[in-house]
Amino acid sequence: MLAPQTLPLASSKPSIYGNLDSAQIPSLQRMSLMRNSKHRIRNLRLRFSIQSSAAQEVDKRSKSGKDHVEILSEALPFIQKFRGKTIVVKYGGAAMKSDALQASVIADIVLLSCVGLRIVFVHGGGPDINQMLQQLDIKPNFVDGLRVTDQSTMEIVSMVLAGKVNKRLVSLINKAGATAVGVCGIDGRLFTARPSAKSPQLGFVGDIASVDPSILRPLIDSNYIPVIASVAADQNGQSYNINADTAAGELAAAVGAEKLILLTDVAGILENKDDPGSLVKQIDIKGVKKMIEDRKIAGGMIPKVSCCVRSLAQGVRTASIIDGRLKHSLLLEILTDEGAGTMITG
């Protein structure tokens, strides 16, 4: 009989190395191990990068939180100083033309009201008046920088200031979380006007003959924010366009304000009008008069400074002319030592 043949066992799975020679297999194994090692290293690096980024983000948040707390802590003495005091703010210029700056001013007003300051908000609205006149195909006229206001223009001024602009600001303040009430100088005889000395050239442009803040006191005492359009009427009921700076200054004196703030398009009072870096941070009335004599204060700055001086002479503690082009300039002026312009003292 023939002896049975022993056949080699065949694997049911094909070799992962296919038909390669056995001498080549160790080299392939080493290459596979190297690829696996590189893959693990990449994974470790990725994991370390993610962990490091997360740690940096936590650290950044922690620093940011500490910064916020430190800022609030530094603001506390100023909040305590002005809490319960009346601050009259005149709003206009660049801060009125830019949506971003307008939002910044509204946010500042609401925050200051929330921490206990009594804010009275006075506004003009020159750009809106010009826009409406343009839509009606009426060309605006100016004499020495002051608007010529005939009867038809006065009607448009009243409509725009006491209507469109005033109610828009009231709405924005209400939306931001405070409660505002819109009035103009005619309401409750808040302002009684008289013709200005230049009325023959300017038309219905007036000065303020008297202020009666009776209509405002219940609003201020109830923590409402009065928003006041600078339109007034004389004793015969004739409406006049009133300079908003002048209106704010006279009102600040009448309500016994702690501080008057004028938002403007300049950094403040400059020692050299051609050098923005020559800002005068603080000055008294005597110093202001000297700068006017030396013609360092001139042009459109004179009426602003004059209304500040007049309000100080009537009992307002300080008056500031600040840069309305800076975001949160009101907070910088009231809640920091740095300020945002020039503060004038009595």
Side-chain angles (χ1 to χ4, degrees):
M1 294 179 64
L2 292 173
Q5 288 183 322
T6 304
L7 297 174
L9 293 173
S11 170
S12 60
K13 296 182 180 178
S15 169
I16 61 171
Y17 301 109
N19 296 323
L20 292 176
D21 186 271
S22 60
Q24 294 175 294
I25 292 174
S27 175
L28 287 172
Q29 287 175 329
R30 284 195 299 274
M31 290 172 64
S32 177
L33 286 170
M34 287 174 66
R35 279 197 299 270
N36 288 339
S37 296
K38 287 179 180 178
H39 184 67
R40 283 196 296 271
I41 289 169
R42 279 198 300 270
N43 283 344
L44 285 170
R45 284 176 177 168
L46 179 62
R47 193 180 309 158
F48 177 78
S49 175
I50 292 171
Q51 289 173 342
S52 176
S53 297
Q56 288 175 1
E57 184 62 29
V58 169
D59 186 52
K60 190 191 298 181
R61 276 195 228 131
S62 175
K63 285 182 179 177
S64 175
K66 288 177 181 175
D67 289 343
H68 290 159
V69 170
E70 191 171 334
I71 290 168
L72 288 171
S73 177
E74 289 173 357
L76 179 59
F78 298 97
I79 293 172
Q80 291 171 326
K81 176 182 177 180
F82 290 111
R83 184 175 176 81
K85 303 292 176 61
T86 300
I87 311 291
V88 175
V89 176
K90 180 265 176 174
Y91 173 58
M96 212 167 203
K97 300 171 191 172
S98 159
D99 288 341
L101 290 175
Q102 184 175 78
S104 169
V105 171
I106 296 299
D108 290 359
I109 288 292
V110 172
L111 189 151
L112 292 169
S113 177
C114 286
V115 297
L117 280 68
R118 299 174 158 201
I119 304 297
V120 178
F121 204 43
V122 180
H123 68 86
D128 289 274
I129 295 170
N130 292 339
Q131 185 181 39
M132 181 61 72
L133 290 171
Q134 187 176 12
Q135 289 174 2
L136 297 172
D137 201 24
I138 300 172
K139 185 179 179 180
N141 295 316
F142 293 87
V143 174
D144 297 330
L146 298 172
R147 184 187 303 278
V148 176
T149 309
D150 58 19
Q151 186 60 50
S152 60
T153 303
M154 187 62 233
E155 290 177 7
I156 294 166
V157 168
S158 294
M159 178 178 67
V160 172
L161 293 187
K164 179 185 175 183
V165 177
N166 188 267
K167 300 316 169 194
R168 182 178 70 215
L169 294 173
V170 168
S171 179
L172 288 171
I173 292 171
N174 289 345
K175 182 181 176 183
T179 305
V181 177
V183 299
C184 74
I186 299 172
D187 297 315
R189 297 191 186 91
L190 177 58
F191 299 136
T192 299
R194 63 167 177 254
S196 76
K198 295 183 178 179
S199 60
Q201 297 84 32
L202 298 176
F204 296 105
V205 173
D207 293 328
I208 294 178
S210 63
V211 182
D212 181 358
S214 301
I215 190 175
L216 299 184
R217 298 201 186 280
L219 298 176
I220 296 170
D221 291 341
S222 300
N223 296 318
Y224 291 108
I225 298 176
V227 180
I228 301 161
S230 56
V231 175
D234 64 15
Q235 292 180 338
N236 298 318
Q238 172 61 53
S239 296
Y240 285 87
N241 186 15
I242 305 293
N243 178 277
D245 293 330
T246 301
E250 295 299 313
L251 185 59
V255 298
E258 178 76 12
K259 191 172 185 67
L260 166 68
I261 298 176
L262 306 183
L263 283 164
T264 67
D265 291 344
V266 295
I269 297 174
L270 303 178
E271 183 70 32
N272 178 355
K273 62 183 178 61
D274 298 321
D275 179 11
S278 64
L279 177 67
V280 178
K281 300 288 286 183
Q282 186 169 331
I283 191 170
D284 59 16
I285 293 176
K286 185 178 178 181
V288 165
K289 291 179 177 177
K290 180 71 165 58
M291 289 188 74
I292 293 174
E293 289 172 6
D294 295 341
R295 297 186 178 179
K296 292 180 178 180
I297 296 174
M301 185 59 76
I302 289 179
K304 294 182 185 301
V305 168
S306 297
C307 90
C308 289
V309 169
R310 183 171 166 80
S311 68
L312 292 170
Q314 296 179 82
V316 177
R317 293 289 296 277
T318 64
S320 295
I321 299 172
I322 71 171
D323 193 345
R325 300 167 300 179
L326 294 175
K327 285 189 73 174
H328 301 297
S329 54
L330 281 172
L331 296 186
L332 284 169
E333 178 61 27
I334 296 173
L335 300 183
T336 72
D337 278 324
E338 180 184 349
T342 300
M343 183 170 73
I344 306 171
T345 59

